[in-house]
C-alpha cells in the first residue's frame, strides 16, 4: 500500500474496516511521510508517534474482536493547535501557552475519537489564529508544498500544508474570517466553514467568539463531509451550539446541479485580475455545464466586510485574551516585582506583535467614547451584510466567488500587515453572516499555484453546500494532482 496517501479518507477507512489493511500499517505509512517531509514543511508543532501507534494497535484488536468500528475508524488526522486534546499541550502558536496542558478535550476532538479516528499530532497556526500566512506563529513558519518559498496561508496553515502533502488524511482548522478556506485555497485542497453554531466551540481557544467555527480540511469534498457528519452536532457545553442533531450528508451526493441557481456578485468582483479572474469565469461555466443557472446578485455592501471584521474581531479578541495574564493562564515572567507588573511584563513578553496590535485595536474600539463610533456602527453593518445575503438567497441557492483574490504569496513579502488583511476580503463576508462556505480547488495557474472556487449557502444548508462542492470538484478533480516533491 505505498500509495495509500493518494486514496480518499473514505477509501482508507473502508480498507481498514474490511480487513484489507491494519491500523498500525496505516499509521506507520503516514508517520513515515510525516518524518520525511515535515522537517522542510514545518506543519506539525507536535507529532504523537507513540500514542498514534498505540491507538492503532487498540483499533486492530477491536477489529479482531469484531466489535463495531466508528465512522472514522483508522483515519490519521491532525488537530489545529488551538483546539484541546485532554492532557496535551495547546500552544495556540503562542509562547504564552508553551506549557499549557489542556484539562479536557474539545467536543469536536472527542466526537472524532469516539468514531475511532487516530490523532497524529498538532498543527501549526498563526498565534491565536490571527493572520493569513502562518508567519505569526511563535514557533515555526509553515511552507506551502506547491512552492516552499510561499506561504501556505493562514491561520490554519499547518493543517492545509499537511493535507496538501498528504501527511494525514484529514485535519481540523478553525475559521474566524477565512482561516480554513484561504489556506485550503493556497494549498490546493478543500476546506469548509460550517454554519455558525453547527460545530461546537467547546475546547476551541476563543479568538472572535461570534465568528469562530471549527471545520474540516481535506483533499476531497467527500472526506470533509465525513468529518462534518461526525463533528456537526449539538453540544450542551457551547451555548451557541445549534439544537440540531447530525446530518447524513454523504448519502445524497450527486454531480447534478440542475434546477440550482447560483448568484454571482459581478459588481463586487469587478476588481478581480489575471488568472484568478479567468479561472473564476471558467469555474462558472463548469457549474453551468452541470445544469446550474447563473444570476447576478447585488452584494455591494460586502465591500465593508474587512473594516467591520477588524473592528468586531479585535473587540472580541481583546476581551477573550484578557484571561492570558500570567496568573491564571500563561507563562509568568520572573521579572515582575509587583502584582501589576505580573500582568504587564507577562503579557509583554508572552504575546507577539500581531496579537498585541489586535488587543490594542480591540480595546480602543470598545473604549467609552469610541464604542458608538466604531463597535456599534460595525454591528449595524454586520447586520446589513447578513440581510444582503438573505435577500440574495431569496432568488438563489448558492453564491459563488473565488476564495481568494490572489494565490499564495512569497513568505516574508508583506512588510505591512494591514495589506495582508486584504487577503480575506472574500472569505470574511460568510463569517460575518454565519453562513456555510466551502473552498474547492478550481485550477492551477501558470506559476504552479492553486486557485479555488468558494461556494456559500444559506444558514444551515451545510449539506447542500458540500454537495455543490462535490459536483464542482468532479469537473476538475485536482485532488489527483499532488504537489511535486510530495508524491
Ligand atoms: N486572516 C484573518 C485574520 O487575520 C482571519 C483569521 C481567522 O479566520 N482565524 O484575522
Amino acid at each position: 500500500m505505498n500509495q495509500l496517501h493518494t486514496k480518499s479518507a473514505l477509501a482508507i477507512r473502508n480498507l481498514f474496516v474490511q480487513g484489507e489493511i491494519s491500523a498500525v500499517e496505516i499509521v506507520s505509512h503516514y508517520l513515515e511521510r510525516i518524518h520525511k517531509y515535515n522537517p522542510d514543511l514545518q506543519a506539525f508543532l507536535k507529532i504523537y508517534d507513540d500514542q498514534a501507534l498505540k491507538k492503532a494497535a487498540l483499533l486492530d484488536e477491536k477489529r479482531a474482536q469484531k466489535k463495531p468500528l466508528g465512522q472514522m475508524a483508522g483515519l490519521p488526522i491532525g488537530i489545529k493547535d488551538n483546539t484541546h486534546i485532554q492532557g496535551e499541550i495547546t500552544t495556540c502558536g503562542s509562547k504564552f501557552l508553551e506549557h499549557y496542558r489542556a484539562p479536557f478535550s474539545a467536543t469536536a476532538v472527542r466526537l472524532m475519537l469516539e468514531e475511532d479516528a487516530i490523532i497524529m499530532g498538532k498543527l501549526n497556526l498563526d498565534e491565536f489564529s490571527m493572520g493569513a500566512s502562518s508567519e505569526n506563529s511563535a514557533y515555526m513558519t509553515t511552507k506551502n508544498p506547491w512552492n516552499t518559498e510561499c506561504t501556505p496561508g493562514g491561520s490554519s496553515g499547518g493543517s492545509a500544508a499537511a493535507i496538501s502533502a498528504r501527511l494525514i488524511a484529514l485535519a481540523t482548522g478553525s475559521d474566524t474570517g477565512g482561516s480554513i478556506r484561504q489556506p485550503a485555497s493556497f494549498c490546493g485542497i478543500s476546506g469548509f466553514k460550517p454554519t455558525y453554531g453547527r460545530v461546537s466551540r467547546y475546547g476551541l481557544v476563543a479568538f472572535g467568539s461570534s465568528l469562530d467555527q471549527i471545520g474540516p480540511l481535506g483533499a476531497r469534498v467527500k472526506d470533509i463531509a465525513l468529518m462534518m457528519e461526525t463533528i456537526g452536532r449539538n453540544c450542551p457545553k457551547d451555548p451557541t451550539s445549534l439544537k440540531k442533531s447530525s446530518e447524513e450528508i454523504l448519502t445524497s451526493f450527486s454531480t447534478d446541479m440542475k434546477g440550482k441557481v447560483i448568484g454571482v456578485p459581478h459588481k463586487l468582483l469587478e476588481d478581480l485580475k489575471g488568472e484568478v479572474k479567468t479561472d473564476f469565469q471558467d469555474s462558472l461555466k463548469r457549474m453551468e455545464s452541470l445544469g446550474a443557472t447563473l444570476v447576478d446578485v447585488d452584494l455591494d455592501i460586502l465591500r465593508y466586510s474587512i473594516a467591520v471584521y477588524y473592528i468586531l474581531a479585535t473587540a472580541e479578541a481583546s476581551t477573550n485574551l484578557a484571561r492570558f495574564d500570567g496568573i491564571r493562564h500563561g507563562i509568568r515572567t520572573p521579572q515582575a516585582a509587583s502584582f501589576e507588573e505580573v500582568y504587564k511584563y507577562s503579557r509583554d513578553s508572552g504575546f507577539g506583535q500581531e496579537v498585541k496590535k489586535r488587543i490594542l485595536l480591540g480595546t480602543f474600539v470598545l473604549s467609552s467614547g469610541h464604542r458608538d463610533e466604531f463597535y456599534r456602527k460595525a454591528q449595524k453593518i454586520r447586520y446589513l451584510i447578513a440581510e444582503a445575503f438573505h435577500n440574495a438567497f431569496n432568488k438563489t441557492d448558492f453564491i459563488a466567488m473565488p476564495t481568494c483574490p490572489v494565490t499564495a504569496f512569497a513568505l516574508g513579502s508583506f512588510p505591512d500587515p494591514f495589506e495582508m488583511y486584504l487577503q480575506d476580503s472574500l472569505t470574511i463576508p460568510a463569517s460575518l453572516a454565519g453562513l456555510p462556505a466551502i473552498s474547492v480547488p478550481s485550477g492551477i495557474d501558470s506559476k504552479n499555484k492553486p486557485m479555488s472556487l468558494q461556494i456559500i449557502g444559506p444558514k444551515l444548508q451545510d449539506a447542500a453546500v458540500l454537495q455543490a462542492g462535490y459536483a464542482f470538484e468532479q469537473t476538475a478533480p485536482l485532488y489527483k494532482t499532488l504537489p511535486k516533491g510530495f508524491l
Side-chain angles (χ1 to χ4, degrees), residues 355-366:
V355 174
K356 281 181 195 160
K357 198 173 66 198
R358 297 206 191 192
I359 291 173
L360 288 174
L361 199 60
T363 310
F364 176 75
V365 298
L366 285 177

Side-chain angles (χ1 to χ4, degrees), residues 195-308:
T195 296
Y196 181 77
R198 180 75 266 201
V199 177
S200 171
R201 289 184 295 114
Y202 182 68
L204 168 72
V205 178
F207 164 10
S209 308
S210 76
L211 300 150
D212 297 340
Q213 267 296 279
I214 292 177
L217 292 97
R220 308 183 198 212
V221 176
K222 273 198 175 173
D223 297 343
I224 283 179
L226 174 70
M227 191 191 277
M228 276 312 295
E229 282 194 0
T230 308
I231 65 175
R233 58 183 71 204
N234 174 252
C235 164
K237 289 183 173 136
D238 171 1
T240 58
S241 169
L242 297 166
K243 305 244 166 349
K244 292 233 160 243
S245 50
S246 86
E247 273 180 293
E248 280 203 13
I249 309 168
L250 284 161
T251 41
S252 36
F253 272 101
S254 107
T255 54
D256 194 0
M257 289 290 290
K258 270 194 203 82
K260 301 288 181 211
V261 181
I262 299 179
V264 185
H266 286 289
K267 184 136 183 270
L268 179 77
L269 300 174
E270 68 192 1
D271 297 334
L272 281 182
K273 288 197 284 278
E275 291 181 67
V276 171
K277 181 177 179 172
T278 47
D279 178 72
F280 177 59
Q281 287 162 343
D282 181 58
S283 299
L284 293 177
K285 284 201 192 103
R286 279 147 59 188
M287 278 305 214
E288 270 185 317
S289 71
L290 295 174
T293 311
L294 304 178
V295 298
D296 186 35
V297 286
D298 175 9
L299 287 173
D300 253 21
I301 186 122
L302 268 51
R303 284 184 197 281
Y304 299 106
S305 297
I306 295 184
V308 169

Side-chain angles (χ1 to χ4, degrees), residues 17 97 104 120 157 184 186 188 241 254 261 284 295 299 321 328 351 394 410 432 436 486:
V17 172
L97 295 183
F104 60 90
M120 306 290 280
F186 280 12
S241 169
S254 107
V261 181
L284 293 177
V295 298
L299 287 173
L321 269 59
R328 287 163 301 171
F351 290 136
N394 280 336
L432 288 173
F486 299 90

Side-chain angles (χ1 to χ4, degrees), residues 80 82 126 128-133 136 154-156 174-182 207-208 212 309-310 313 354 358 420-421 423-424 427-428 431:
K80 182 176 179 178
N82 60 355
D126 285 301
F128 288 104
S129 305
M130 297 174 188
S133 69
N136 295 337
S155 63
S156 314
S174 66
D175 194 313
T176 306
S179 273
I180 291 176
R181 291 161 285 158
Q182 182 255 22
F207 164 10
D212 297 340
Y309 171 84
Y310 278 96
E354 183 63 26
R358 297 206 191 192
M420 201 184 303
Y421 293 176
Q423 295 296 308
D424 304 314
T427 47
I428 284 173
S431 297

Side-chain angles (χ1 to χ4, degrees), residues 322-344:
R323 72 187 61 144
F324 301 109
D325 51 13
I327 294 174
R328 287 163 301 171
H329 298 289
I331 297 175
R332 185 179 306 180
T333 170
Q335 184 195 352
S338 68
F339 185 61
E340 212 167 278
E341 280 184 7
V342 172
Y343 279 76
K344 200 169 151 202

Side-chain angles (χ1 to χ4, degrees), residues 73-139:
L75 283 183
I77 63 167
I79 305 293
K80 182 176 179 178
D81 201 20
N82 60 355
T83 307
H84 293 335
I85 304 173
Q86 189 173 23
E88 300 295 340
I89 305 271
T90 305
T91 67
C92 282
S94 181
K95 274 270 168 269
F96 221 154
L97 295 183
E98 197 173 356
H99 306 298
Y100 176 75
R101 220 167 261 285
F104 60 90
S105 283
T107 299
V109 167
R110 177 179 59 77
L111 290 170
M112 290 191 286
L113 288 175
E114 281 170 11
E115 293 297 332
D116 292 332
I118 303 171
I119 301 178
M120 306 290 280
K122 282 297 204 59
L123 296 158
N124 194 31
L125 68 161
D126 285 301
E127 185 176 8
F128 288 104
S129 305
M130 297 174 188
S133 69
S134 303
E135 288 165 300
N136 295 337
S137 166
Y139 298 95

